Amino acid sequence: MQLRIPGPTPCPEEVLRAQSRQMINHRGKDFSVIIRKVTEQLKRCFQTQNDVLILTGSGTSGLEAAVVNTLSPGDRVLGVSIGAFGDRFADIARTYGADVKKLSFDWGVPADPDAVRQALKDDAGIKAVLVTHNETSTGITNDLKPIAAVAREFDKLILVDGVSSVGSIDLPVDAWQCDVVVTGSQKGWMTPPGMAMVSMSQRAWQANEKAKMPRFYLDLGRARKIFDEKGQTPWTPGISTLYALDVGLDAIEKEGLQNVFSRHARVAKVAREGAKSLGLTLFARESHASNTVTAINVPSGVDGKKLLQILREEHQVVLSGGQAKLEGKIFRIGHLGWVAESDMNVVMAALKKALPAAKGA
Ligand SMILES: *Cc1c(COP(=O)(O)O)cnc(C)c1O
C-alpha cells in the first residue's frame, strides 16, 4: 500500500515498533529523559535556540496555541491566506475575538511579500501576521523569509503554520526570526498523528505576558514551566506518539537535516516531472511548487473521484482530493516524511494505468 496523502504519512517499522512499547509514568524519570531528548532534537530541526513545546493534539491545536498564547481579544491581525489552511489560521484568530484583516491571494499562487508590506504600512494597528509556510491545500510554499523580514521591519509578531514544512522543507526559525512556528507529528516526522510541536521566540514570550485570550489546555506558559522544572507536560501526554517521535527524530538526525530537505526536493521533482510526462498539468505555480505535496489538475473528461478510487482499489495507491473549493478540481500527492524517489515512480506507474480507466468512466 502506498499511502501518499499529505498526512498522516507512512511510518518506518522501527517507529511502529516503538509505538507498541509499554506505558510509563508520565510523572517519572524515564518520561523526563525521553521528552528532554526529543525536545532537544526538535530544536535542532526547527533550527532554534528558543523553546519548542510538545502538545498532545493535532496540528490545529498548535495553531490554536499560537493564537491564544500571544494575542488578546480585539487585537488586529493580518491573516495572510493562499488556501484552506491560511483560512483556518485566520478563522481560529477570529473565533477568539481577534480583529482579523484578511490578505488573500488566488489559490495556486504564493503570497506577495510586497503586498504584506503594503498592508502593514496601511494599517499601523496590526499586531501580528499569521501566515502558512507550506499551503498543503494548493501545493505552494510561500516565500517565508521575505515575509518574515517584512514583519520584522514593522515590528509585528509573525505566527507561522509550518505544519507540513518543518523538518521537510528548510525553515530556519531563528535565522528568519519567526516568533511562533507550528508543526504536527503526522506530517514530515515519520510518526503517527497525536502531537503538535510549537516554537516560541523571546518576542513571543513577551507577547505572552500580555496576551489575554482564554486558554487552559493549550497554555504554553504552563507547558514551559513544568517542562523546565520537571521534564513533564501539564496534562497526560500521548506517550506512544512520543516514543514514535523519539525514533523518527533519530532517523532524521542520522540522515542529516539538510539531506532530508534535499531528498524532499528530489522526490517532489520526480512527482512534478512524472505528472507532466503523463500529460497532466500542475495546479500550483511551479516556481513555488511545494516539496512536500504536489497538486495536479484533474484533466477534463476525467472524474477525479473515480480516479482516486481506481488508484486505491486497483493499484493500492492512496492519494488526496482537493479541499474546499478545489474539491473535484485537483488531486494531491503527499510526499513527505518516509518517502523516496522510488515511491513516486510507483505512484506514476499507477497513475499511468488509472488515468485512461477514469476517463472511460
Ligand atoms: C495538516 C495541516 C494542518 C493541521 O491539520 P491537523 O489535521 O489538525 O493536524 C495545518 N496546516 C497545514 C498547512 C497542514 O498541512
Side-chain angles (χ1 to χ4, degrees), residues 66-129:
V67 168
V68 300
N69 283 281
T70 56
L71 299 169
S72 300
D75 278 351
R76 198 161 327 140
V77 306
L78 187 68
V80 179
S81 178
I82 62 166
F85 289 105
D87 286 353
R88 182 184 298 184
F89 210 0
D91 283 345
I92 293 170
R94 195 177 294 116
T95 300
Y96 280 96
D99 174 10
V100 178
K101 199 165 171 176
K102 272 301 262 302
L103 179 63
S104 297
F105 296 85
D106 289 341
W107 290 26
V109 303
D112 174 7
D114 288 330
V116 176
R117 176 181 288 107
Q118 193 59 48
L120 294 180
K121 222 180 228 168
D122 290 345
D123 188 344
I126 290 170
K127 200 178 155 197
V129 177

Side-chain angles (χ1 to χ4, degrees), residues 197-265:
M197 297 86 94
V198 184
S199 70
M200 289 280 285
S201 71
Q202 292 311 312
R203 205 176 300 104
W205 285 121
Q206 282 160 17
N208 177 251
E209 284 168 23
K210 296 183 202 115
K212 297 226 162 43
M213 280 186 183
R215 52 189 182 269
F216 189 88
Y217 188 80
L218 298 175
D219 188 336
L220 294 178
R222 215 163 158 156
R224 173 169 73 163
K225 187 165 186 290
I226 196 162
F227 175 79
D228 286 349
E229 288 173 2
K230 299 182 174 172
Q232 294 179 12
T233 53
W235 334 112
T236 311
I239 291 173
S240 304
T241 309
L242 194 70
Y243 289 157
L245 266 177
D246 179 11
V247 174
L249 285 161
D250 284 351
I252 288 176
E253 294 213 313
K254 191 166 168 223
E255 185 177 354
L257 193 58
Q258 296 303 325
N259 295 332
V260 172
F261 297 153
S262 26
R263 172 169 53 84
H264 281 84

Side-chain angles (χ1 to χ4, degrees), residues 6-7 57-61 63 85-86 88 132-137 161-165 184 186-187:
S58 77
T60 305
S61 74
L63 298 180
F85 289 105
R88 182 184 298 184
T132 318
H133 180 211
N134 186 75
E135 180 50 76
T136 314
S137 67
D161 175 347
V163 175
S164 60
S165 58
Q186 82 278 25
K187 301 290 171 110

